[in-house]
Amino acid sequence: MNRKFEKQKTLAREVSFCGIGLHSGKNVTMTLKPVASDTGIIFHRTDRSNGSASILSNFSNVVNVDHSTNLGNTRGDCVIRTVEHLLAALHAFGIDNLLVELDGPEVPIADGSSKPLVSLIENAGTRELPYYKERMYIRKPVEYSDGDKFIRISPHKKLKITYHIDFRHHLIGKQSYSLVLTKNSFVKKIASARTFCLLHEVEYLRKNGLAKGGSLKNAVVVAEDKVLNGGLRYNDEFVRHKVLDLLGDLSLIGKSLVGHVEVYKGGHHLHTKLIQEIFSRPDSYTIEKAGSKPFPVSAPMSLQKRADHIERLEFFPLPNTAL
């Protein structure tokens, strides 16, 4: 079958964003730098001087999914928290190669959604690279369940998401949302949906060292009788944000995924478990790339060594733009 393969992309110029980390509570400056090499998305902490400060955005580097998706290096001495909202935006815009520099431990939370990050990417623009994207086509259904929660993926001609949530709170309750991912569908329907929590959870989170930077400016907080922020951006903003999180987590596959993902009562734990299940079943998918025949792959090649040698990246000599 003849398929049209897309070229990989990076940003057209460097851009920066400053803000607080949702869980760390620390102010962080994030700089997105376009790269000319086929390297993937690499996070690099500029506040650390040793060579272990670089982490490849790959599911094998996920170290924790407690209320956010967090990446760590193989040595266990460097962590980047809350990468999912940025990765979702990069995923939607088809950004494959990028250096994300942070002078702290966490991606800034902005307003709790990907909307400010979309503006950042749109301001930078994108450019094609002389490499083709790889696509992972799902050939057989794969499912993971945990009690009454489940996530499954089945064959489809595009990346389609169907998400269901069911909260025992009358202001959230049962919500469902479905879409086929395109840049436009993400920007118009998903990017603005904010992260959320119930008011009674806030004390627990902070006692456990989380949500130190949380506020009504960067999260929807739901009390017993009302939304404390004064309103929602969508009536179903809660489930739309779950779709946003899922898209960020799926980007950790490192390839363009083609299949229908269905989730019931999901979260980062289920999202990353699905990725593990897919790679544990090489008969369930094929990887296709321009100029090559379809081929199965049992697991992604480890690219941590490449991430640990950030000085080898090829950069475009482009001007800076700080927002």
Side-chain angles (χ1 to χ4, degrees):
M1 181 183 296
N2 293 324
R3 302 186 192 275
K4 182 179 179 181
F5 286 88
E6 298 177 81
K7 291 288 187 66
Q8 294 184 28
K9 292 180 182 178
T10 188
L11 294 185
R13 59 178 176 175
E14 180 178 311
V15 285
S16 296
F17 184 89
C18 301
I20 194 169
L22 175 63
H23 294 299
S24 67
K26 295 183 177 180
N27 288 312
V28 179
T29 296
M30 176 177 70
T31 302
L32 308 182
K33 293 187 173 184
V35 296
S37 47
D38 179 11
T39 321
I41 296 170
I42 293 178
F43 290 88
H44 178 69
R45 286 193 44 186
T46 61
D47 60 324
R48 299 176 64 90
S49 58
N50 60 43
S52 63
S54 301
I55 303 170
L56 181 69
S57 176
N58 183 278
F59 92 95
S60 61
N61 291 330
V62 173
V63 294
N64 186 283
V65 288
D66 185 11
H67 291 85
S68 62
T69 299
N70 310 303
L71 303 177
N73 61 11
T74 54
R75 304 175 192 179
D77 59 358
C78 182
V79 174
I80 307 290
R81 296 193 61 97
T82 320
V83 299
E84 62 269 23
H85 300 171
L86 173 63
L87 291 180
L90 296 176
H91 187 175
F93 277 76
I95 304 299
D96 307 278
N97 303 289
L98 194 68
L99 175 63
V100 182
E101 287 189 343
L102 300 159
D103 65 357
E106 189 170 15
V107 174
I109 191 60
D111 69 348
S113 77
S114 291
K115 183 177 180 181
L117 303 173
V118 163
S119 297
L120 193 70
I121 295 168
E122 290 178 333
N123 181 272
T126 62
R127 66 184 296 165
E128 288 188 346
L129 295 172
Y131 313 104
Y132 285 101
K133 294 178 183 287
E134 289 186 349
R135 293 176 180 165
M136 172 183 278
Y137 287 88
I138 298 300
R139 301 303 186 191
K140 296 181 180 179
V142 177
E143 181 170 336
Y144 176 83
S145 60
D146 182 4
D148 65 338
K149 304 173 184 178
F150 72 82
I151 184 168
R152 72 167 66 98
I153 188 167
S154 53
H156 197 271
K157 59 184 178 180
K158 297 181 180 180
L159 176 55
K160 181 178 180 181
I161 306 295
T162 301
Y163 215 115
H164 309 278
I165 63 173
D166 186 358
F167 281 76
R168 294 182 179 179
H169 192 295
H170 67 101
L171 294 179
I172 303 178
K174 295 181 179 180
Q175 296 183 4
S176 298
Y177 198 82
S178 183
L179 92 163
V180 173
L181 178 65
T182 65
K183 182 179 74 174
N184 288 338
S185 68
F186 180 80
V187 171
K188 294 180 179 180
K189 300 179 180 180
I190 299 299
S192 299
R194 296 163 292 176
T195 191
F196 63 94
C197 72
L198 303 179
L199 180 59
H200 70 79
E201 295 176 324
V202 173
E203 183 178 358
Y204 167 82
L205 291 171
R206 290 184 171 165
K207 282 184 177 180
N208 286 272
L210 301 172
K212 294 178 181 178
S215 72
L216 296 181
K217 294 181 180 180
N218 55 39
V220 175
V221 181
V222 185
E224 184 60 35
D225 58 343
K226 63 180 179 180
V227 173
L228 298 183
N229 307 67
L232 298 173
R233 293 176 177 175
Y234 311 96
N235 290 335
D236 55 358
E237 185 171 0
F238 305 105
V239 70
R240 292 190 194 216
H241 185 78
K242 288 289 190 177
V243 173
L244 189 159
D245 282 345
L246 174 61
L247 291 172
D249 291 341
L250 290 177
S251 75
L252 295 168
I253 290 174
K255 309 176 191 303
S256 297
L257 180 64
V258 183
H260 181 193
V261 183
E262 301 171 83
V263 193
Y264 178 67
K265 298 174 71 171
H268 297 299
H269 173 71
L270 253 63
H271 302 166
T272 51
K273 281 292 186 181
L274 176 65
I275 298 174
Q276 292 178 15
E277 288 294 317
I278 292 171
F279 278 114
S280 71
R281 293 182 51 186
D283 64 330
S284 69
Y285 66 90
T286 55
I287 304 294
E288 293 187 17
K289 186 176 182 179
S292 66
K293 297 180 179 180
F295 61 94
V297 180
S298 60
M301 182 182 296
S302 174
L303 298 178
Q304 184 63 45
K305 182 175 292 187
R306 184 184 296 179
D308 282 341
H309 292 82
I310 198 168
E311 67 274 7
R312 297 182 183 177
L313 292 178
E314 299 173 37
F315 294 94
F316 291 109
L318 298 168
N320 295 349
T321 300
L323 296 186

